[in-house]
């Protein structure tokens, strides 16, 4: 299904007015020579926090570049996460290697004896021979580019930015040549024949991100292509928000298994069979009690019109599936005002008093000007409400 990313249009009134409309995406786009930064209405801190959770990377609250232009900051932060995420995926099969011709002078014969050298140096024989052999070696240009990129990100955001790549970081440090990576070095790394190997092809994207970071580029299209090309890096904010909530709940409720996008098959073997996909299902590891939530990245100011009818029907259909194991269900939003529990919590599903399943509308309070510390405090308030909810339903946390 097609989804809106960016729409530019104009309207004729007393004078011509221009409008930009965006969908549920955030990131950076380049269009006709212009750089368009798409942020969320909840501020830069919230986007950074969600990216942190997605990659299990928790960078310092205020990066060193904080004095620079905020748009540049956000772009570097996004590219940093993309680089780390893509490197973590690519390095599963190891760093790129190739066979290289090596020469060694020792008492052992390894490979082929260099007879020219033998005739010149080893008559009479002195116990050592010069041999040549082929050995798989890490590709120096790629090692240098990756190492220097990680060091630059570390200086900007702290060591946490590559905490999940500690082993790779140590290996790169050991193999680093000690030389600065010039543009020619980056170009040789990007075009090296080894990354055409299917085993290493994921490094193509890794090295593209590395080039942007090392050269402080925005990947603005070449001048002759500016009017023809749209490029950029975007995150699906709705998906990002779901993963953020999943990991936030997982970290704080270890006694519960928290799963995202669980597939529920209904009416199997019937022609009207369907699959349902609740965003978040919490299952207590011992009692098997269930809490089911849908994550909605939509405005929530605690008024009736903020709840879409389809969203309300959807979460109730998920709730009905779990029946007697269910202790609570609800919709989780980024809240634009502090929560009033009396208005947003119902003691029973459907509010008809013939069950004891809680139904809630809740979320983390976020706003544009909040600091990272403010956001973390509001997360803790949300988690406290979730803990109280679970205790109220008689399940041990």
């Amino acid at each position: 299904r097609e989804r809106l990313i960016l729409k530019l249009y104009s309207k004729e009134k007393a004078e011509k007015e221009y409008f930009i409309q965006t969908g549920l995406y955030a990131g950076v786009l380049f269009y006709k020579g212009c750089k368009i930064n798409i942020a969320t209405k909840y501020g830069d801190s919230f986007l950074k926090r969600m990216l942190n959770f997605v990659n299990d990377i928790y960078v310092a609250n205020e990066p060193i570049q904080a004095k620079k232009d905020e748009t540049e900051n956000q772009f570097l932060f996004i590219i940093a996460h993309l680089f780390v995420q893509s490197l973590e995926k690519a390095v599963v099969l190891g760093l790129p290697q190739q066979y290289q011709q090596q020469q060694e002078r020792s008492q052992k014969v390894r490979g082929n004896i260099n007879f020219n050298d033998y005739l010149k140096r080893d008559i009479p024989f002195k116990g050592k021979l010069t041999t040549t052999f082929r050995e798989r070696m890490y590709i120096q240009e790629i090692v240098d580019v990756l190492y220097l990129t990680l060091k630059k990100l570390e200086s900007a955001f702290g060591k946490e930015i590559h905490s999940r790549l500690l082993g790779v970081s140590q290996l790169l440090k050991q193999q680093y040549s000690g030389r600065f990576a010039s543009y020619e070095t980056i170009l040789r790394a990007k075009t090296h024949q080894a990354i055409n190997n299917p085993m290493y092809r994921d490094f193509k994207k890794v090295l593209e991100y590395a080039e942007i970071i090392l050269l402080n580029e925005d990947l603005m299209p070449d001048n002759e292509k500016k009017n023809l090309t749209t490029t950029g890096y975007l995150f699906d904010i709705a998906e990002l928000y779901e993963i953020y909530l999943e990991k936030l709940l997982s970290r704080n409720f270890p006694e519960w298994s928290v799963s995202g996008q669980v597939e529920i098959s209904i009416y199997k073997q019937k022609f009207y069979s369907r699959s349902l996909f609740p965003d978040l299902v919490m299952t207590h590891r011992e009692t098997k009690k269930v809490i089911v939530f849908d994550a909605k990245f939509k405005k929530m100011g605690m008024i009736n019109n903020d709840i879409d009818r389809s969203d309300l029907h959807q979460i109730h259909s998920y709730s009905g599936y779990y029946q007697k194991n269910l202790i609570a269900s609800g919709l989780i939003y980024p809240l634009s005002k502090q929560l009033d529990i009396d208005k947003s919590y119902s003691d029973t599903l459907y509010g008809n008093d013939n069950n004891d399943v809680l139904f809630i509308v809740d979320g983390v309070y976020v706003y544009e000007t909040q600091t990272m510390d403010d956001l973390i405090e509001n997360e803790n308030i949300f988690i406290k409400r979730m803990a109280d909810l679970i205790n109220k339903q008689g399940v041990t946390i």
Side-chain angles (χ1 to χ4, degrees), residues 133-200:
F133 55 91
R134 284 167 56 82
E135 184 179 28
R136 284 182 65 81
M137 304 280 291
Y138 293 114
I139 297 162
Q140 196 61 58
E141 298 95 325
I142 294 177
V143 167
D144 289 354
V145 167
L146 296 179
Y147 174 74
L148 290 171
T149 303
L150 285 176
K151 291 299 290 182
K152 182 170 182 177
L153 294 181
E154 182 180 319
S155 68
F157 301 110
K159 291 185 178 181
E160 295 88 348
I161 192 69
H162 58 73
S163 58
R164 289 176 62 180
L165 294 168
L166 188 59
V168 179
S169 179
Q170 291 299 320
L171 177 59
L172 291 171
K173 184 177 180 179
Q174 292 168 8
Q175 300 294 326
Y176 175 49
S177 69
R179 295 187 296 270
F180 178 76
S182 65
Y183 177 74
E184 287 71 23
T185 306
I186 297 171
L187 188 61
R188 287 198 302 272
K190 284 178 58 184
T191 57
H192 199 283
Q193 61 180 4
I195 60 176
N196 291 323
N197 183 331
M199 182 176 176
Y200 300 129

Side-chain angles (χ1 to χ4, degrees), residues 26 44 55 72 83 133 149 202 210 212 238 278 286 299:
D44 191 44
N55 294 306
E72 179 184 343
F83 171 79
F133 55 91
T149 303
D202 287 341
I212 300 169
E286 292 184 5
K299 176 186 174 183

